[in-house]
Amino acid sequence: MKRILACLLICCAALKVGAQVDTVYTKRYLERSTKFAWLTLGGDILALPNGDTDYLQGENLRNTTFSSGFVPRVTIGGVHFWGYADFYVTFPLSFLTLQSTPDDFQELDIRQGVETGFRLFPVKLQPKRLSPFLGISFRSSSYSHEIEGDNYTEGAPRYTRMTVPVQFGLAYTTNKLHIAASAYLQSTRNFKYYISPEQEGNTTLNPVTFNVSVLRYWDTDRDYRTEKAWRSLNKRHEILKKENRLSTWYIGVGPSAGLQMSRSSFLEQNYPFLADTYSSGLMPDITFGRFFNRPDMNVGVSYRTFGDRIRGFDTSIRMRRHSFMVEAYKNLFNWLGFVPYVGVTGAIENLTVEVNDQTYQETKPALGFIAGWDIRVTKTGTSLLRTNLRWTPDLHLSIEGDRMMFDHLEFNFIQWVQFLGRGKVYKKYSK
């Protein structure tokens, strides 16, 4: 009787331990959450718009047409929501642009900046299936031309706008590749372009452009869908809990794209031919902070620096921003590894503008917002991928009663976040 009772107690204890571990990360949860997202990497060819523009030949106003160009781009992104959505960021290789130039032009330069976008697939992506999609994206678009014989020291000005094109197309997925063709439709079609420091002309762009992309995708979490991985992940959770390491320090690094959101009154008042040049570009994003397990939130510091040059005719303006930021953000929920968050930021901003040979500088505090999401299947990882969006409203440098705007919308699509110390803890228990 005593032996039977002892066996029952042992079985009950084993079941209790097993239940405790299983309720942390269940097999069903890991099966679904590890299929939530796939990493994508590849490139595309984007057609640049054709159109027509006014220009000056001597004192005579003339008009000419120009044909489409092409630019190759590099894309990094991720398929989310089990194949129903695609988030991506695309970097143009502008130095490889193919663009013909009208006869009277010395240069024609049409550019599409870094593009951040989202595509929705009503029929989810699946190998050997054709899937239609609808999408929307954000990117800067710019135009400039220079006429033969112009002798301005800084060349032609650049018209730049942040655009929000919609897109539609078809995608075909193989066991390794994601192939898509799409059409873009954007609202910016007609605009005024300065053809001299005092005179504007009309420029018209075709609102429809096309692209073809080929991406390689990886199911980076597939190894989590095994019996061995399930047991290991739950064991790791117990180790971190025992060692008080569920809360941990982290470092992160990744590229961020910045797009200016509003016009600069300083340019409107003093250099109207540059007022339509919105600064944009890439910046390094470096962060260090601490993840707090119980409230499920992060508090950290980040550093970004951004520089750009605006020029046209006989004027050159250089901009530089150094941002030292404290940020706190709360994770809202965990939907099978998709963890969105929102928060606030406080920063010390060092802003510099150099107009020809005169420099203006200001260091000031600024408040802003941060939002984004982590791809975090479990809290036991030694690293994760993070996407964040930052905005500091009305950030500007005051110059002679006017404003030079630095209110960039910053989008960091892929940031690598490394948790410090967890790897050593796991090694200690693997001996």
Side-chain angles (χ1 to χ4, degrees), residues 1-10:
M1 183 67 182
K2 291 181 179 180
R3 290 183 178 179
I4 295 175
L5 182 59
C7 289
L8 288 173
L9 289 173
I10 292 172

Side-chain angles (χ1 to χ4, degrees), residues 20-21 71 78 101 189 195 200 220 253 284 313 353 364 391 400 405-406 410:
Q20 287 176 339
V21 173
V71 59
T101 303
R189 179 174 181 178
I195 53 181
E200 292 179 299
T220 55
V253 62
F313 301 124
V353 172
K364 62 195 300 184
W391 182 43
E400 301 173 356
M405 301 306 297
F406 285 83
E410 303 174 44

Side-chain angles (χ1 to χ4, degrees), residues 273-289:
F273 52 86
L274 296 179
D276 285 317
T277 304
Y278 282 34
S279 61
S280 64
L282 293 176
M283 66 186 83
D285 185 349
I286 303 169
T287 185
F288 171 78

Side-chain angles (χ1 to χ4, degrees), residues 57-357:
Q57 190 174 60
E59 296 182 356
N60 298 318
L61 182 65
R62 298 185 179 277
N63 182 275
T64 189
T65 61
F66 50 86
S67 58
S68 297
F70 298 92
V71 59
R73 306 188 299 176
V74 176
T75 300
I76 183 170
V79 176
H80 291 65
F81 300 103
W82 305 280
Y84 285 102
D86 178 23
F87 295 90
Y88 65 90
V89 60
T90 297
F91 305 93
L93 304 177
S94 299
F95 62 95
L96 296 177
T97 300
L98 296 176
Q99 177 76 62
S100 60
T101 303
D103 292 339
D104 292 331
F105 284 18
Q106 180 176 321
E107 181 180 284
L108 173 66
D109 193 0
I110 300 175
R111 297 187 186 184
Q112 304 292 342
V114 177
E115 178 180 328
T116 300
F118 163 77
R119 289 174 174 176
L120 177 66
F121 296 87
V123 180
K124 80 171 186 176
L125 295 172
Q126 192 169 306
K128 299 182 181 180
R129 173 184 286 179
L130 197 63
S131 302
F133 62 84
L134 296 172
I136 189 169
S137 60
F138 303 86
R139 68 186 181 203
S140 63
S141 298
S142 67
Y143 172 90
S144 70
H145 71 240
E146 191 168 348
I147 306 303
E148 291 283 358
D150 281 351
N151 57 1
Y152 296 110
T153 58
E154 298 298 337
R158 180 174 296 278
Y159 175 93
T160 308
R161 274 289 183 273
M162 179 177 171
T163 61
V164 188
V166 295
Q167 56 180 295
F168 53 91
L170 288 173
Y172 181 76
T173 304
T174 71
N175 290 326
K176 294 182 179 180
L177 299 178
H178 176 63
I179 305 166
S182 64
Y184 289 92
L185 176 63
Q186 61 185 35
S187 58
T188 302
R189 179 174 181 178
N190 302 301
F191 56 88
K192 297 289 187 179
Y193 178 73
Y194 274 88
I195 53 181
S196 77
E198 298 81 21
Q199 185 175 351
E200 292 179 299
N202 293 313
T203 299
T204 301
L205 299 179
N206 189 333
V208 180
T209 58
F210 303 90
N211 89 315
V212 177
S213 63
V214 179
L215 305 176
R216 174 76 161 86
Y217 69 91
W218 290 268
D219 182 1
T220 55
D221 293 327
R222 63 182 181 276
D223 293 338
Y224 283 7
R225 295 192 288 270
T226 64
E227 182 78 17
K228 181 180 179 181
W230 167 69
R231 295 184 182 279
S232 175
L233 289 172
N234 283 288
K235 180 181 177 182
R236 286 189 169 195
H237 185 275
E238 294 302 315
I239 290 172
L240 294 180
K241 184 177 180 181
K242 178 181 178 180
E243 294 286 330
N244 196 27
R245 288 297 186 96
L246 286 171
S247 296
T248 183
W249 296 98
Y250 64 84
I251 57 173
V253 62
S256 188
L259 298 172
Q260 182 182 329
M261 299 300 292
S262 56
R263 292 169 67 92
S264 297
S265 61
F266 173 73
L267 297 180
E268 291 178 318
Q269 294 298 321
N270 299 278
Y271 307 98
F273 52 86
L274 296 179
D276 285 317
T277 304
Y278 282 34
S279 61
S280 64
L282 293 176
M283 66 186 83
D285 185 349
I286 303 169
T287 185
F288 171 78
R290 185 165 178 83
F291 167 69
F292 295 92
N293 177 59
R294 284 189 178 276
D296 200 8
M297 66 177 296
N298 294 279
V299 177
V301 294
S302 68
Y303 169 73
R304 285 107 49 241
T305 181
F306 174 84
D308 198 7
R309 184 185 182 194
I310 299 171
R311 59 178 181 167
F313 301 124
D314 294 317
T315 299
S316 173
I317 298 177
R318 294 183 181 273
M319 305 171 61
R320 172 60 61 180
R321 173 190 177 191
H322 295 280
S323 178
F324 302 88
M325 182 173 285
V326 177
E327 45 200 29
Y329 42 98
K330 174 73 173 68
N331 294 320
L332 301 178
F333 54 83
N334 182 352
W335 184 27
L336 297 174
F338 178 74
V339 185
Y341 59 81
V342 295
V344 293
T345 65
I348 296 298
E349 301 282 353
N350 180 265
L351 310 176
T352 304
V353 172
E354 182 181 321
V355 183
N356 293 328
D357 295 327

